Amino acid sequence: MAKRKLERFAALETFKNIVQFSVQDITTQAQSLQYKNKWAENIFHNNHPIILELGCGKGEYTIGLAEKYPEKNFIGIDMKGDRLWRGCTRANEKKLTNAFFIRTPIEFIENIFGENEIAEIWITFPDPQLNKSRIKKRLTSPPFLQKYYLFLAKDGIIHLKTDNIPFFDYTLNIIQQEKHKLLYYSYNLYQSNYMDDILSIKTYYEEKFTKKGMNICYVKFMLKEDW
């Protein structure tokens, strides 16, 4: 297992559809600055909208969306190299030129993208960080939403899918308390009337959860304009 992981980490260094930022790289912007405000131009070589998948894991959403929307660019971000290897490999196999990956801690994401550079954000089954001491680590906490505000387009939408109801309740409360714009939510997505092709894409964990009969929660919202 350890040998296989090392082989995959080495392979990541050769893939052209991923960039890896260390904590030092991203905090000092030593490497990330060359990409900031230039992702569409330098990586995708077009001016199409960019959609992020945060905590993308194996990149199921990044790849699924890229296949459905060739006129848009998609970037999956995660820290797990073994999982990202799978996403990069699958994107290469499918010859997707509009799918790209970043391996880096999401905590410093504001150093990667420039103002209005991102059109939408997908947060798919993140760690709910249920320990009270780690609330600020939740990807829908106010500190993270403030980071997104720095680079998300003013009409940009944030999507969240999760199986964790306490985390989902927390997110809905944050949207209300911070006066963001709630567009839609459901505690049981696949029993709602809001299904479409995009929401039918399932991550590895989502497949496991739905097979166990667990409900999938979904919310989409926009950040307030006057933050």
Side-chain angles (χ1 to χ4, degrees):
M1 181 68 73
K3 181 180 179 182
R4 186 179 67 179
K5 281 191 174 183
L6 289 175
E7 290 174 346
R8 290 181 175 180
F9 291 158
L12 286 180
E13 298 288 344
T14 69
F15 289 161
K16 295 182 179 180
N17 59 350
I18 187 172
V19 65
Q20 303 182 72
F21 297 137
S22 68
V23 172
Q24 182 177 0
D25 285 337
I26 200 169
T27 53
T28 63
Q29 298 193 51
Q31 185 182 4
S32 62
L33 193 59
Q34 64 180 296
Y35 294 92
K36 194 172 185 178
N37 287 312
K38 303 172 185 176
W39 287 96
E41 177 184 357
N42 291 353
I43 297 299
F44 299 105
H45 308 296
N46 58 48
N47 61 355
H48 299 167
I50 300 175
I51 291 87
L52 295 185
E53 183 190 3
L54 303 183
C56 69
K58 299 175 183 179
E60 293 97 335
Y61 248 86
T62 297
I63 292 170
L65 290 171
E67 287 184 294
K68 288 180 179 294
Y69 300 98
E71 74 282 4
K72 296 180 180 180
N73 301 320
F74 298 89
I75 298 178
I77 302 180
D78 207 297
M79 195 58 201
K80 301 289 187 179
D82 187 48
R83 295 177 184 174
L84 287 172
W85 175 88
R86 293 178 181 273
C88 289
T89 299
R90 191 175 174 204
N92 284 331
E93 291 172 348
K94 292 177 175 290
K95 295 180 170 55
L96 294 173
T97 59
N98 62 330
F100 195 83
F101 296 90
I102 302 174
R103 185 185 180 202
T104 198
I106 296 177
E107 286 83 354
F108 307 104
I109 193 172
E110 72 276 16
N111 291 339
I112 302 177
F113 303 105
E115 185 177 0
N116 296 316
E117 192 167 17
I118 300 303
E120 291 185 45
I121 294 174
W122 282 86
I123 304 173
T124 50
F125 298 91
D127 185 337
Q129 305 286 0
L130 295 180
N131 191 311
K132 289 185 177 180
S133 65
R134 296 183 63 82
I135 286 178
K136 290 184 178 180
K137 296 286 187 180
R138 294 175 180 172
L139 294 185
T140 55
S141 67
F144 271 101
L145 295 182
Q146 288 173 345
K147 293 175 186 289
Y148 310 153
Y149 180 79
L150 297 175
F151 57 79
L152 185 63
K154 300 311 176 188
D155 59 348
I157 295 174
I158 299 176
H159 307 260
L160 168 70
K161 291 176 81 175
T162 181
D163 65 303
N164 190 281
I165 292 178
F167 171 59
F168 191 67
D169 285 338
Y170 166 84
T171 301
L172 292 178
N173 287 333
I174 290 297
I175 293 170
Q176 181 181 31
Q177 292 171 12
E178 299 289 329
K179 298 182 179 179
H180 299 304
K181 185 177 180 180
L182 178 64
L183 300 176
Y184 178 83
Y185 75 95
S186 173
Y187 279 90
N188 192 352
L189 176 61
Y190 296 115
Q191 293 299 318
S192 72
N193 295 321
Y194 197 73
M195 282 303 302
D196 58 28
D197 286 343
I198 296 178
L199 294 178
S200 67
I201 300 171
K202 291 184 174 68
T203 68
Y204 169 77
Y205 291 105
E206 188 171 0
E207 289 281 7
K208 292 180 63 175
F209 299 149
T210 53
K211 286 179 180 178
K212 292 180 179 179
M214 299 171 66
N215 291 347
I216 303 301
C217 303
Y218 168 74
V219 61
K220 71 174 183 176
F221 63 101
M222 298 171 64
L223 299 178
K224 61 186 178 184
E225 296 181 3
D226 57 344
W227 208 335

